[in-house]
Amino acid sequence: MDPALAELAAELPAHALLTDADQVEGYRRDAAADPKAGHPMAVVRATSTADVQCVLRWAGRHRVPVVPRGAGSGLSGGANAVDGCVVLTTERMRDIRIDPDNRVAVVQPGALNADVKRAAAQHGLWYPPDPASVDISSIGGNTATNAGGLCCVKYGVTSDYVLGMEVVLADGTAVTLGGPRLKDVAGLSLTKLFVGSEGILGVITRVTLRLIPAQSQQSTVVAVFSAVQDAANAVVAITATVRPAMLELMDHASINAVEDYRRMGLDRSAQALLLIQSDASGDAATEVAHIVDACRSCGATEVFATDDPEEGAGFTAARRVVGLALMQLGTLLLEDVTVPIPELPALLAGIHRIATECDILICVVAHAGDGNTHPVVVFDPDDPDARARAERAFSEVMDLAIAMGGTITGEHGVGRLKRDWLPKQLGDDVIMLTRRVKDALDPLGILNPGAVLHP
Amino acid sequence: MDPALAELAAELPAHALLTDADQVEGYRRDAAADPKAGHPMAVVRATSTADVQCVLRWAGRHRVPVVPRGAGSGLSGGANAVDGCVVLTTERMRDIRIDPDNRVAVVQPGALNADVKRAAAQHGLWYPPDPASVDISSIGGNTATNAGGLCCVKYGVTSDYVLGMEVVLADGTAVTLGGPRLKDVAGLSLTKLFVGSEGILGVITRVTLRLIPAQSQQSTVVAVFSAVQDAANAVVAITATVRPAMLELMDHASINAVEDYRRMGLDRSAQALLLIQSDASGDAATEVAHIVDACRSCGATEVFATDDPEEGAGFTAARRVVGLALMQLGTLLLEDVTVPIPELPALLAGIHRIATECDILICVVAHAGDGNTHPVVVFDPDDPDARARAERAFSEVMDLAIAMGGTITGEHGVGRLKRDWLPKQLGDDVIMLTRRVKDALDPLGILNPGAVLHP
């Protein structure tokens, strides 16, 4: 074993350090499966904050890059290895403590989002953020990427629920930021700075999450449209006056991919479908009536409303299965562009144009209620020309979103896959500001080099 | 005129620079009226982002400290002058643009909170954060301090509504962060870092605020208690299962100060009063019933519930007048300590003990629903011994809150008055981290030196 690695192994608990090539290979990439991921020299499966501190102190001494990793479900290459790095995974740190009196969950980073939800539910409490990866993504990764999901349109994103954290800085110092306090302005908002920092500022080792009372029962509306533009207009009309708890869009290609994958009873002829939920409890009838009206007045060919939770769950399941369904069609480049709501119709029109020009399939699913779309570019990985056209489409969709005042990433993060577009969105001055913060906190540049910023 | 000042005057619009001693005197202190405030060399009343850039570039060249100032309503000395500084006020930058399609307000920093609320209401929209200073405090100051208020218990604080901003950095560069997008994870969460940064990282020149649909009608509950502890226990019981839109506490001394100041019909014999509002609309009856039950089971001697908005507004007015009422009693040291909700009864007991030990009057009003209390130390300014005892009490309340896992400031900010307690709460490592961020963004240390951190 390399002498530096031997030194690290001696400082860590038994079996925390993996150097076997087959084992290490499993930690090279996140779910974006980027073929350009590098080769780590080792993997550390931390069991404690002390392990994380040990790795960072060692990495500083030996100038070894450290790539932090949660559950590996990331979609932008943020946890992809760089050559010669140590991948530091928190997957074994899974403790969840619910404090019902303070209505917080104190959670280790490896705990899965769904496990936190379940633990909270035992106390009648709810942790809202619900990325589609809810069953497989960890709270550490959710926090590091400021993950979103379906309920954000009403309930906000991960950052809105992180009250505090323990984070290990580049030099191995563990600091506690914030805590179980709903109001706290003592000092800079460092907690919020670390949320969404994608592992470039520190490694999160504990998170204090705000919980809220369990959600009221949802009513569900499904509306079918013969044109995507009509559906997009309906999104604008709905959000103008009510706050639905979910407002999802699936286009024709997505609907048919789902039906091909698993018969869910969706209308294959629809050009777009909106799936909307209201949890306004006492006011649900009013809210649902408004939603139905908005869909009809925007040209919906069919609108179905139900208060039955099981029927609603059936439609939600159809939405949640889109990712798996699309994987059957080919290799995917998953977009995450978000635009201001009024730009949504124009964005969807532009995506259609790009798909035609690049002669490539782009299926669109969207958290439409907050303008967050996931155009999915589908291509045959064995056709180099198709790959080139897919990459061109991927790039053009981001350029389009930026031109509309949107963002290249609403909830997945910049990672390594979107790094080259970040300066186009933010401008050089904001990139410079970002680098100043990064350099101040990680002067040796050992933390996740190449993610977010060019190394 | 000093040659450096003459140079500045030449670069600014006419009348932007004030050097007349009488005029400058009016900008020396914020509302904490700290006698230790320094003497500025001049005041700049900026009219544009360009003016702010001009001041900071000039200040960098001449190494002159700049103290940014909003409406001067701050309560922690954050806008107090330091000797030889330029006070840079944004009070003349008051534009408000409501974008109903994006449901945002794009606001210059000098616009008053209440003016933004009114402008939003014209479109059926609501800007929730409501510090008690709502009529006199500006959005720039609200953002720089991450201001709270009464509705935060359900609707969150300023940070939860700031989607983006323009901020002028120490070197005069103006950068745009975030924007009218509900989800945006492109790059570090710099917007959130600047919220609550109290002018030590940059000067905010424009803010994009999220608006939500107008609030549903509120039901109001007033509960009277013969012991503060009973009221505190009721707060814990209420928040355990429902999310009231307001949950305020007034103690015996506050109630009587209000009645002395303006006859509002409050029960002078009460040891504590809770003022609670529910806006759960369809569910209000259920929520109000729970609140009433919780108050009764915790020993309330009288509970009054009303759906009449005017009656409710009358009680809210009584709560809002507390500050003015207390000013009649003497000079005030206004506390802002926040503890986890379950610690609230013990905090109130501890404050009572400190008041007794220091032989000083401490009146308590509290945004009790989020654990944010305002113990107000009242003393005779002409009695040096009383001042010393008041300062001791002020200090001991903060020590107590820290010992309980609380914070020295829930919504007012650290400013200069609480700077010496910040390391006790955060610890040396977090202070060091804070300094690293500060030094990276303001290497010359010209931005609000002495606020938050020791210079």
Side-chain angles (χ1 to χ4, degrees), chain B residues 420-433:
Chain B
D420 292 347
W421 285 266
L422 191 64
K424 291 190 198 182
Q425 179 182 330
L426 299 184
D428 291 342
D429 287 335
V430 176
I431 292 288
M432 186 93 80
L433 178 61

Side-chain angles (χ1 to χ4, degrees), chain A residues 104-193:
Chain A
V104 295
V106 181
V107 176
Q108 283 189 317
L112 299 185
N113 179 310
D115 289 337
V116 175
K117 281 187 164 55
R118 267 187 289 271
Q122 290 177 5
H123 298 269
L125 295 170
W126 181 33
Y127 174 65
D130 60 345
S133 59
V134 60
D135 289 318
I136 57 165
S137 66
S138 67
I139 289 296
N142 286 183
T143 304
T145 56
N146 191 10
L150 282 65
C151 73
C152 309
V153 59
K154 181 166 185 177
Y155 291 98
V157 295
T158 302
S159 182
D160 298 312
Y161 294 88
V162 178
L163 296 178
M165 62 172 65
E166 177 187 74
V167 60
V168 179
L169 305 177
D171 66 1
T173 309
V175 295
T176 300
L177 305 172
R181 298 174 289 271
L182 293 174
K183 279 179 176 168
D184 185 357
V185 296
L188 294 176
S189 305
L190 297 172
T191 304
K192 300 285 187 193
L193 176 64

Side-chain angles (χ1 to χ4, degrees), chain A residues 11 50 52-62 169-174 446:
Chain A
E11 292 176 9
V52 173
Q53 294 181 277
C54 168
V55 169
L56 289 176
R57 288 193 194 111
W58 171 87
R61 287 199 302 274
H62 296 277
L169 305 177
D171 66 1
T173 309
I446 57 170

Side-chain angles (χ1 to χ4, degrees), chain B residues 127-148:
Chain B
Y127 174 64
D130 60 344
S133 58
V134 61
D135 289 318
I136 57 164
S137 65
S138 66
I139 289 296
N142 286 184
T143 304
T145 56
N146 192 9

Side-chain angles (χ1 to χ4, degrees), chain A residues 363-387:
Chain A
C363 305
V364 178
V365 288
H367 308 307
D370 41 34
N372 183 204
T373 71
H374 295 313
V376 184
V377 188
V378 185
F379 65 98
D380 174 357
D382 299 326
D383 177 350
D385 185 61
R387 179 179 288 273

Side-chain angles (χ1 to χ4, degrees), chain B residues 286-332:
Chain B
T286 319
E287 198 161 284
V288 166
H290 173 82
I291 291 167
V292 169
D293 285 352
C295 290
R296 290 220 172 99
S297 67
C298 290
T301 55
E302 199 191 325
V303 184
F304 173 77
T306 177
D307 291 335
D308 179 12
E310 288 208 16
E311 269 186 309
F315 287 109
T316 312
R319 164 62 187 89
R320 289 198 183 270
V321 89
V322 169
L324 282 172
L326 292 177
M327 281 182 201
Q328 315 304 314
L329 302 183
T331 292
L332 310 181

